[in-house]
Amino acid sequence: MTILEPASTNSTRHREIYERLGRGKEYREAFVESEINIGIPFQIKAMREAREWTQKELGSRSAKQQSVISQLETPGYGNLTLSTLKKLAAAFDVALMVRFVSFRELVSRAAHLSDSDMKIPSYGVDRASSTVTTTSALITQSQSTASGGLLIGRLPPRAVNVRTSANTSEETVHG
């Protein structure tokens, strides 16, 4: 489990990492490699455990043997392929994003990593959470409008769909 650190500690960690990156190109390459070879196995295990799946269950969902899942969850194993990561993303029902980033972005993520960054919710959980958040925002907007706040003439189509799927009723204020 990752323990959240106070912001000042995160700033210190950020500065320390950047200072170490200044040691040379080899150090930066090793840092990137360790973020991948250690970070991804921790994330795989965290997502599996958050869903209360066994390694065998994740294996069957991703067409992998339990022993392969065990290896993939081992920090430093280092044999992660895009094909395997795509299968795991499909099994977890999450998106997979592989892209090049600046060291500033990588250091920022490493310095501010939290437990929730490791436990990515499935599409269904993420969508349900998004629906609740969006619906709450729409209700707040409606209440604000009814009490003399900003008048919104038309809601975007996605917001209407979200409202409908959440079975909420909302006052419509006409100008």
Side-chain angles (χ1 to χ4, degrees), residues 60-147:
S60 68
R61 291 171 181 259
S62 60
K64 300 286 181 193
Q65 296 292 319
Q66 177 275 326
S67 59
V68 172
I69 299 301
S70 177
Q71 289 176 326
L72 293 172
E73 289 183 354
T74 302
Y77 169 65
N79 195 15
L80 302 164
T81 66
L82 281 177
S83 175
T84 297
L85 293 175
K86 289 189 283 187
K87 286 179 182 179
L88 289 171
F92 286 124
D93 197 16
V94 299
L96 174 65
M97 185 169 66
V98 178
R99 63 189 186 107
F100 297 98
V101 298
S102 68
F103 277 97
R104 177 181 41 213
E105 185 174 339
L106 182 61
V107 169
S108 180
R109 286 191 52 83
H112 300 97
L113 193 62
S114 71
D115 198 39
S116 64
D117 291 327
M118 300 299 274
K119 298 176 182 174
I120 307 303
S122 68
Y123 172 79
V125 171
D126 191 41
R127 180 163 184 202
S129 174
S130 174
T131 300
V132 168
T133 302
T134 304
T135 302
S136 296
L138 290 173
I139 291 169
T140 301
Q141 278 181 341
S142 177
Q143 291 167 346
S144 173
T145 302
S147 65

XYZ file of all heavy atoms in Angstrom, residues 60-147:
657
model
N -7.168 -16.443 -16.195
C -8.224 -16.935 -17.084
C -8.901 -15.798 -17.840
O -9.298 -15.954 -18.986
C -9.256 -17.766 -16.308
O -9.987 -16.962 -15.430
N -8.993 -14.634 -17.210
C -9.608 -13.482 -17.878
C -8.695 -12.879 -18.952
O -9.173 -12.161 -19.832
C -9.960 -12.404 -16.862
C -11.097 -12.778 -15.935
C -11.256 -11.757 -14.819
N -12.317 -12.092 -13.913
C -13.530 -11.547 -13.938
N -13.830 -10.647 -14.840
N -14.440 -11.917 -13.070
N -7.394 -13.137 -18.844
C -6.435 -12.551 -19.795
C -5.734 -13.602 -20.653
O -4.774 -13.283 -21.345
C -5.391 -11.731 -19.036
O -4.674 -12.549 -18.129
N -6.226 -14.836 -20.615
C -5.652 -15.940 -21.384
C -4.173 -16.153 -21.055
O -3.336 -16.359 -21.931
C -5.852 -15.717 -22.891
N -3.861 -16.078 -19.757
C -2.498 -16.301 -19.266
C -2.541 -17.337 -18.148
O -3.530 -17.458 -17.443
C -1.885 -15.002 -18.708
C -1.770 -13.870 -19.702
C -0.654 -14.123 -20.668
C -0.509 -12.997 -21.667
N 0.358 -13.365 -22.769
N -1.460 -18.049 -17.984
C -1.335 -18.992 -16.871
C -1.140 -18.220 -15.570
O -0.606 -17.114 -15.572
C -0.135 -19.927 -17.095
C -0.260 -20.823 -18.303
C -1.362 -21.860 -18.121
O -1.528 -22.444 -17.043
N -2.129 -22.083 -19.176
N -1.536 -18.808 -14.453
C -1.339 -18.179 -13.142
C 0.134 -17.875 -12.915
O 0.483 -16.833 -12.368
C -1.885 -19.091 -12.031
C -1.678 -18.569 -10.618
C -0.312 -18.919 -10.046
O 0.253 -19.973 -10.330
N 0.231 -18.019 -9.251
N 1.020 -18.758 -13.352
C 2.461 -18.539 -13.158
C 2.943 -17.304 -13.924
O 3.835 -16.591 -13.454
C 3.258 -19.768 -13.588
O 3.023 -20.061 -14.953
N 2.336 -17.033 -15.068
C 2.695 -15.832 -15.841
C 2.216 -14.584 -15.099
O 2.946 -13.590 -15.010
C 2.103 -15.894 -17.270
C 2.305 -14.579 -18.006
C 2.714 -17.054 -18.047
N 1.011 -14.643 -14.535
C 0.492 -13.509 -13.754
C 1.420 -13.250 -12.574
O 1.753 -12.101 -12.266
C -0.959 -13.766 -13.278
C -1.908 -13.951 -14.473
C -1.433 -12.635 -12.360
C -1.974 -12.780 -15.439
N 1.866 -14.298 -11.915
C 2.789 -14.151 -10.798
C 4.067 -13.428 -11.246
O 4.548 -12.523 -10.565
C 3.135 -15.528 -10.216
O 4.075 -15.406 -9.174
N 4.601 -13.816 -12.395
C 5.799 -13.152 -12.924
C 5.512 -11.685 -13.255
O 6.322 -10.809 -12.956
C 6.304 -13.864 -14.182
C 6.929 -15.211 -13.909
C 7.312 -15.915 -15.193
O 6.643 -15.787 -16.222
N 8.396 -16.680 -15.135
N 4.365 -11.432 -13.872
C 4.021 -10.055 -14.251
C 3.855 -9.161 -13.036
O 4.058 -7.946 -13.125
C 2.736 -10.044 -15.085
C 2.829 -10.700 -16.461
C 1.451 -10.807 -17.097
C 3.790 -9.945 -17.360
N 3.468 -9.732 -11.901
C 3.303 -8.966 -10.665
C 4.609 -8.845 -9.868
O 4.640 -8.214 -8.830
C 2.233 -9.608 -9.774
C 0.832 -9.453 -10.314
C -0.214 -10.040 -9.381
O 0.134 -10.671 -8.364
O -1.417 -9.856 -9.678
N 5.665 -9.433 -10.381
C 6.957 -9.391 -9.693
C 7.739 -8.162 -10.149
O 8.130 -8.073 -11.315
C 7.779 -10.668 -9.985
O 7.012 -11.802 -9.573
C 9.114 -10.637 -9.259
N 7.971 -7.201 -9.233
C 8.741 -6.009 -9.600
C 10.128 -6.396 -10.128
O 10.807 -7.248 -9.561
C 8.862 -5.231 -8.290
C 7.703 -5.708 -7.467
C 7.518 -7.154 -7.839
N 10.485 -5.799 -11.243
C 11.790 -6.071 -11.838
C 11.795 -7.238 -12.805
O 12.811 -7.511 -13.442
N 10.669 -7.938 -12.965
C 10.608 -9.067 -13.907
C 11.015 -8.602 -15.304
O 11.827 -9.215 -15.956
C 9.221 -9.698 -13.896
C 8.978 -10.697 -15.005
C 9.692 -11.881 -15.062
C 8.034 -10.450 -15.987
C 9.480 -12.799 -16.083
C 7.806 -11.366 -17.000
C 8.536 -12.536 -17.052
O 8.317 -13.427 -18.057
N 10.458 -7.497 -15.743
C 10.926 -6.835 -16.941
C 10.532 -7.399 -18.279
O 10.997 -6.916 -19.302
N 9.711 -8.421 -18.341
C 9.324 -8.968 -19.637
C 7.883 -8.599 -19.956
O 7.047 -9.447 -20.203
C 9.529 -10.494 -19.647
C 9.501 -11.070 -21.046
O 9.614 -10.340 -22.019
N 9.338 -12.368 -21.139
N 7.601 -7.304 -19.948
C 6.259 -6.804 -20.219
C 6.163 -6.443 -21.702
O 6.940 -5.627 -22.185
C 5.979 -5.566 -19.366
C 6.108 -5.759 -17.855
C 6.193 -4.420 -17.149
C 4.951 -6.575 -17.339
N 5.228 -7.053 -22.389
C 5.038 -6.726 -23.798
C 3.740 -5.942 -23.965
O 2.835 -6.031 -23.126
C 4.959 -8.000 -24.669
O 3.759 -8.720 -24.321
C 6.191 -8.885 -24.475
N 3.643 -5.188 -25.038
C 2.407 -4.457 -25.313
C 1.242 -5.420 -25.481
O 0.127 -5.145 -25.030
C 2.555 -3.583 -26.552
C 3.287 -2.274 -26.340
C 3.446 -1.524 -27.663
C 2.557 -1.397 -25.342
N 1.485 -6.547 -26.099
C 0.432 -7.538 -26.290
C -0.125 -8.001 -24.943
O -1.346 -8.060 -24.746
C 0.986 -8.730 -27.069
O 0.024 -9.752 -27.161
N 0.753 -8.300 -24.008
C 0.318 -8.737 -22.679
C -0.400 -7.617 -21.951
O -1.448 -7.838 -21.331
C 1.527 -9.218 -21.847
O 2.092 -10.361 -22.502
C 1.120 -9.585 -20.440
N 0.129 -6.407 -22.021
C -0.510 -5.275 -21.347
C -1.904 -5.013 -21.920
O -2.831 -4.685 -21.178
C 0.367 -4.025 -21.433
C 1.688 -4.100 -20.668
C 2.523 -2.843 -20.929
C 1.459 -4.316 -19.191
N -2.075 -5.169 -23.235
C -3.397 -4.988 -23.839
C -4.371 -6.059 -23.349
O -5.537 -5.767 -23.073
C -3.298 -5.001 -25.364
C -2.628 -3.746 -25.931
C -2.707 -3.651 -27.443
C -1.717 -4.563 -28.095
N -1.630 -4.398 -29.565
N -3.894 -7.287 -23.199
C -4.759 -8.356 -22.686
C -5.151 -8.081 -21.237
O -6.294 -8.309 -20.847
C -4.059 -9.713 -22.794
C -3.990 -10.234 -24.211
C -3.273 -11.560 -24.284
C -3.177 -12.014 -25.742
N -2.473 -13.289 -25.875
N -4.195 -7.593 -20.444
C -4.505 -7.268 -19.053
C -5.496 -6.108 -18.976
O -6.423 -6.134 -18.171
C -3.227 -6.936 -18.281
C -2.300 -8.120 -18.003
C -0.977 -7.622 -17.425
C -2.953 -9.131 -17.080
N -5.309 -5.101 -19.819
C -6.237 -3.965 -19.837
C -7.647 -4.448 -20.173
O -8.621 -4.031 -19.534
C -5.777 -2.909 -20.843
N -7.752 -5.341 -21.140
C -9.063 -5.888 -21.499
C -9.654 -6.683 -20.335
O -10.841 -6.568 -20.034
C -8.944 -6.763 -22.747
N -8.826 -7.472 -19.666
C -9.311 -8.269 -18.534
C -9.806 -7.370 -17.406
O -10.837 -7.651 -16.790
C -8.193 -9.183 -18.023
N -9.087 -6.286 -17.135
C -9.484 -5.355 -16.071
C -10.566 -4.378 -16.525
O -11.123 -3.642 -15.732
C -8.277 -4.546 -15.594
C -7.302 -5.307 -14.744
C -5.969 -5.373 -15.100
C -7.701 -5.926 -13.574
C -5.046 -6.051 -14.298
C -6.791 -6.606 -12.770
C -5.457 -6.672 -13.134
N -10.839 -4.342 -17.843
C -11.780 -3.402 -18.441
C -11.365 -1.957 -18.161
O -12.152 -1.126 -17.710
C -13.210 -3.661 -17.958
C -14.256 -2.991 -18.849
O -13.916 -2.598 -19.991
O -15.406 -2.842 -18.408
N -10.080 -1.692 -18.417
C -9.516 -0.351 -18.272
C -8.814 0.022 -19.567
O -8.532 -0.826 -20.403
C -8.501 -0.265 -17.091
C -9.181 -0.590 -15.770
C -7.291 -1.158 -17.319
N -8.522 1.292 -19.716
C -7.783 1.753 -20.883
C -6.288 1.566 -20.628
O -5.838 1.562 -19.486
C -8.080 3.226 -21.143
N -5.541 1.414 -21.685
C -4.088 1.343 -21.614
C -3.545 2.502 -22.429
O -3.918 2.680 -23.587
C -3.576 0.019 -22.188
C -2.056 -0.120 -22.298
C -1.421 -0.126 -20.901
C -1.704 -1.393 -23.054
N -2.697 3.293 -21.808
C -2.124 4.438 -22.496
C -0.603 4.299 -22.462
O -0.005 4.287 -21.401
C -2.554 5.739 -21.816
C -2.092 6.970 -22.549
S -2.858 8.500 -21.954
C -2.207 8.610 -20.312
N -0.011 4.176 -23.635
C 1.441 4.103 -23.756
C 1.858 5.306 -24.582
O 1.412 5.469 -25.719
C 1.886 2.799 -24.466
C 3.383 2.760 -24.632
C 1.381 1.585 -23.703
N 2.683 6.164 -23.988
C 3.106 7.349 -24.722
C 4.425 7.853 -24.168
O 4.814 7.518 -23.064
C 2.050 8.448 -24.647
C 1.800 8.967 -23.249
C 0.594 9.903 -23.223
N 0.455 10.507 -21.925
C 0.741 11.769 -21.652
N 1.180 12.563 -22.605
N 0.593 12.249 -20.444
N 5.110 8.631 -24.956
C 6.348 9.262 -24.529
C 5.996 10.534 -23.770
O 5.063 11.245 -24.149
C 7.223 9.612 -25.739
C 7.662 8.385 -26.503
C 6.988 7.983 -27.641
C 8.744 7.636 -26.062
C 7.382 6.858 -28.346
C 9.147 6.508 -26.754
C 8.466 6.112 -27.898
N 6.742 10.812 -22.694
C 6.483 11.997 -21.882
C 7.804 12.670 -21.527
O 8.871 12.066 -21.617
C 5.722 11.654 -20.573
C 4.358 11.069 -20.870
C 6.520 10.732 -19.686
N 7.702 13.900 -21.097
C 8.892 14.611 -20.634
C 9.304 14.049 -19.275
O 8.502 13.435 -18.573
C 8.587 16.107 -20.497
O 7.666 16.306 -19.435
N 10.549 14.284 -18.912
C 10.987 13.861 -17.582
C 10.217 14.619 -16.506
O 9.946 14.074 -15.435
C 12.502 14.040 -17.411
C 13.263 12.880 -17.983
C 13.806 12.956 -19.258
C 13.410 11.708 -17.269
C 14.492 11.882 -19.806
C 14.090 10.616 -17.802
C 14.637 10.710 -19.072
N 9.852 15.848 -16.784
C 9.068 16.627 -15.824
C 7.772 15.902 -15.481
O 7.397 15.779 -14.319
C 8.784 18.024 -16.377
C 7.906 18.862 -15.468
C 7.611 20.231 -16.013
N 7.352 20.175 -17.438
C 7.662 21.136 -18.298
N 8.218 22.237 -17.884
N 7.386 21.015 -19.582
N 7.079 15.389 -16.490
C 5.824 14.679 -16.244
C 6.065 13.368 -15.499
O 5.336 13.031 -14.561
C 5.091 14.412 -17.557
C 3.729 13.791 -17.366
C 2.931 13.659 -18.653
O 3.223 14.377 -19.634
O 2.006 12.831 -18.659
N 7.090 12.634 -15.900
C 7.391 11.365 -15.239
C 7.762 11.584 -13.776
O 7.284 10.871 -12.889
C 8.523 10.637 -15.969
C 8.910 9.268 -15.397
C 7.739 8.292 -15.448
C 10.102 8.707 -16.140
N 8.592 12.588 -13.513
C 8.998 12.883 -12.137
C 7.792 13.323 -11.313
O 7.624 12.912 -10.168
C 10.116 13.955 -12.108
C 10.358 14.463 -10.696
C 11.398 13.390 -12.706
N 6.934 14.130 -11.898
C 5.751 14.595 -11.186
C 4.872 13.416 -10.776
O 4.399 13.337 -9.646
C 4.966 15.577 -12.052
O 3.829 16.020 -11.379
N 4.665 12.487 -11.689
C 3.849 11.304 -11.374
C 4.524 10.448 -10.315
O 3.879 9.958 -9.398
C 3.581 10.475 -12.627
C 2.565 11.131 -13.551
C 2.105 10.194 -14.648
N 1.627 8.910 -14.195
C 0.401 8.657 -13.749
N -0.473 9.626 -13.675
N 0.046 7.445 -13.393
N 5.824 10.269 -10.435
C 6.551 9.436 -9.470
C 6.545 10.063 -8.080
O 6.398 9.371 -7.074
C 7.984 9.210 -9.947
N 6.683 11.378 -8.021
C 6.758 12.069 -6.733
C 5.407 12.180 -6.049
O 5.339 12.291 -4.830
C 7.360 13.457 -6.922
N 4.338 12.143 -6.821
C 2.999 12.350 -6.258
C 2.115 11.116 -6.388
O 0.893 11.220 -6.366
C 2.331 13.551 -6.925
C 3.095 14.817 -6.747
N 3.951 15.291 -7.707
C 3.168 15.674 -5.719
C 4.514 16.407 -7.270
N 4.058 16.657 -6.073
N 2.710 9.954 -6.526
C 1.966 8.718 -6.696
C 1.148 8.409 -5.444
O 1.646 8.499 -4.332
C 2.945 7.572 -6.975
C 2.349 6.275 -7.466
C 1.649 6.496 -8.813
C 3.438 5.230 -7.611
N -0.100 8.061 -5.650
C -0.972 7.718 -4.533
C -1.549 6.323 -4.740
O -1.447 5.745 -5.826
C -2.114 8.730 -4.418
O -3.024 8.551 -5.488
N -2.155 5.813 -3.721
C -2.778 4.497 -3.770
C -3.841 4.444 -4.867
O -3.956 3.466 -5.589
C -3.389 4.187 -2.400
C -3.662 2.715 -2.201
O -2.834 1.891 -2.647
O -4.695 2.385 -1.604
N -4.601 5.520 -5.023
C -5.660 5.530 -6.039
C -5.095 5.539 -7.459
O -5.771 5.117 -8.388
C -6.592 6.727 -5.836
O -5.894 7.932 -6.019
N -3.855 5.994 -7.626
C -3.221 5.948 -8.943
C -2.938 4.512 -9.375
O -2.781 4.240 -10.561
C -1.896 6.721 -8.945
C -2.081 8.216 -8.797
O -3.097 8.742 -9.290
O -1.197 8.856 -8.192
N -2.843 3.623 -8.415
C -2.523 2.228 -8.713
C -3.774 1.389 -8.969
O -3.735 0.423 -9.707
C -1.740 1.611 -7.541
C -0.432 2.315 -7.226
S 0.723 2.289 -8.590
C 1.509 0.737 -8.289
N -4.881 1.754 -8.360
C -6.109 0.949 -8.429
C -7.100 1.588 -9.393
O -8.050 2.242 -8.992
C -6.724 0.817 -7.045
C -5.828 0.100 -6.066
C -6.438 0.070 -4.688
C -5.515 -0.608 -3.708
N -6.024 -0.522 -2.339
N -6.876 1.395 -10.665
C -7.722 1.980 -11.704
C -9.049 1.209 -11.748
O -9.058 -0.010 -11.859
C -7.021 1.904 -13.075
C -5.611 2.504 -13.004
C -7.868 2.560 -14.161
C -5.558 3.927 -12.532
N -10.172 1.922 -11.671
C -11.470 1.232 -11.702
C -11.809 0.754 -13.111
O -11.337 1.308 -14.103
C -12.456 2.317 -11.249
C -11.802 3.598 -11.635
C -10.311 3.359 -11.501
N -12.643 -0.269 -13.190
C -13.115 -0.756 -14.477
C -14.001 0.309 -15.129
O -14.447 1.254 -14.474
C -13.917 -2.043 -14.294
O -15.122 -1.754 -13.614
N -14.291 0.124 -16.391
C -15.134 1.066 -17.126
C -16.477 1.263 -16.422
O -16.933 2.382 -16.238
C -15.358 0.568 -18.560
C -16.368 1.404 -19.310
C -16.008 2.634 -19.847
C -17.683 0.976 -19.457
C -16.937 3.415 -20.514
C -18.616 1.762 -20.123
C -18.237 2.975 -20.653
O -19.166 3.749 -21.298
N -17.102 0.165 -16.015
C -18.419 0.262 -15.377
C -18.397 1.061 -14.089
O -19.259 1.907 -13.862
N -17.398 0.831 -13.250
C -17.276 1.569 -11.993
C -16.944 3.033 -12.285
O -17.513 3.945 -11.698
C -16.197 0.936 -11.089
C -15.896 1.805 -9.883
C -16.622 -0.465 -10.662
N -16.027 3.241 -13.217
C -15.625 4.601 -13.588
C -16.804 5.382 -14.162
O -17.034 6.534 -13.812
C -14.483 4.520 -14.605
C -13.806 5.846 -14.867
O -13.585 6.606 -13.900
O -13.478 6.108 -16.040
N -17.579 4.744 -15.012
C -18.731 5.416 -15.626
C -19.789 5.737 -14.579
O -20.359 6.826 -14.576
C -19.326 4.560 -16.729
C -20.510 5.246 -17.366
C -20.882 4.694 -18.669
N -21.964 5.531 -19.187
C -22.814 5.145 -20.076
N -22.704 3.961 -20.613
N -23.762 5.945 -20.490
N -20.050 4.801 -13.675
C -21.036 5.043 -12.620
C -20.601 6.209 -11.750
O -21.401 7.063 -11.389
C -21.230 3.791 -11.777
N -19.330 6.264 -11.435
C -18.793 7.357 -10.629
C -18.918 8.677 -11.380
O -19.277 9.693 -10.813
C -17.328 7.075 -10.297
O -16.753 8.174 -9.650
N -18.633 8.651 -12.664
C -18.735 9.849 -13.496
C -20.184 10.318 -13.583
O -20.466 11.509 -13.533
C -18.195 9.556 -14.900
O -18.410 10.655 -15.743
N -21.118 9.381 -13.684
C -22.533 9.721 -13.760
C -22.986 10.421 -12.487
O -23.657 11.435 -12.531
C -23.380 8.450 -13.999
O -22.966 7.865 -15.221
C -24.851 8.775 -14.057
N -22.583 9.895 -11.348
C -22.971 10.496 -10.074
C -22.391 11.897 -9.961
O -23.079 12.841 -9.602
C -22.502 9.609 -8.888
C -22.638 10.341 -7.569
C -23.291 8.317 -8.871
N -21.124 12.048 -10.303
C -20.471 13.357 -10.223
C -21.120 14.355 -11.163
O -21.432 15.476 -10.779
C -18.971 13.225 -10.557
O -18.391 12.294 -9.652
C -18.258 14.550 -10.459
N -21.372 13.931 -12.409
C -21.968 14.827 -13.389
C -23.394 15.184 -12.994
O -23.812 16.331 -13.092
C -21.950 14.187 -14.796
O -20.599 13.841 -15.097
C -22.490 15.126 -15.839
N -24.155 14.207 -12.513
C -25.525 14.466 -12.094
C -25.552 15.447 -10.928
O -26.355 16.372 -10.904
C -26.230 13.151 -11.702
O -26.191 12.274 -12.829
C -27.663 13.396 -11.293
N -24.653 15.275 -9.970
C -24.570 16.208 -8.842
C -24.266 17.607 -9.332
O -24.842 18.583 -8.860
C -23.481 15.766 -7.859
O -23.814 14.527 -7.307
N -23.363 17.721 -10.299
C -23.016 19.033 -10.842
C -24.215 19.655 -11.545
O -24.465 20.855 -11.423
C -21.839 18.916 -11.801
N -24.975 18.844 -12.277
C -26.140 19.363 -12.980
C -27.205 19.842 -11.994
O -27.834 20.875 -12.190
C -26.734 18.295 -13.899
C -25.901 17.944 -15.120
C -26.527 16.760 -15.851
C -25.751 19.129 -16.033
N -27.409 19.086 -10.922
C -28.393 19.488 -9.917
C -27.948 20.788 -9.265
O -28.736 21.697 -9.062
C -28.607 18.365 -8.881
C -29.320 17.200 -9.562
C -29.389 18.870 -7.669
C -29.360 15.933 -8.744
N -26.664 20.894 -8.960
C -26.136 22.123 -8.369
C -26.324 23.293 -9.327
O -26.726 24.375 -8.923
C -24.633 21.956 -8.020
O -24.517 20.862 -7.112
C -24.064 23.208 -7.394
N -26.062 23.065 -10.628
C -26.261 24.123 -11.625
C -27.722 24.545 -11.647
O -28.043 25.722 -11.693
C -25.868 23.630 -13.020
C -24.403 23.697 -13.299
C -24.114 23.211 -14.724
O -24.923 22.529 -15.354
N -22.948 23.569 -15.215
N -28.630 23.573 -11.616
C -30.054 23.871 -11.671
C -30.481 24.677 -10.453
O -31.230 25.634 -10.560
C -30.854 22.569 -11.753
O -32.225 22.846 -11.738
N -29.999 24.269 -9.279
C -30.335 24.987 -8.057
C -29.786 26.406 -8.105
O -30.437 27.350 -7.687
C -29.797 24.236 -6.834
C -30.531 22.940 -6.587
C -29.813 22.041 -5.583
O -28.655 22.248 -5.258
N -30.525 21.027 -5.117
N -28.583 26.559 -8.651
C -27.971 27.878 -8.767
C -28.792 28.760 -9.701
O -29.032 29.930 -9.427
C -26.540 27.742 -9.297
O -25.997 29.003 -9.555
N -29.263 28.173 -10.802
C -30.064 28.923 -11.761
C -31.388 29.344 -11.138
O -31.820 30.482 -11.272
C -30.317 28.066 -13.023
O -29.059 27.697 -13.562
C -31.112 28.824 -14.060
N -32.022 28.423 -10.415
C -33.311 28.718 -9.797
C -33.182 29.802 -8.732
O -34.122 30.543 -8.480
C -33.899 27.448 -9.176
N -32.023 29.928 -8.126
C -31.849 30.938 -7.086
C -31.212 32.217 -7.629
O -30.606 32.975 -6.888
C -31.004 30.362 -5.941
O -29.702 30.089 -6.404
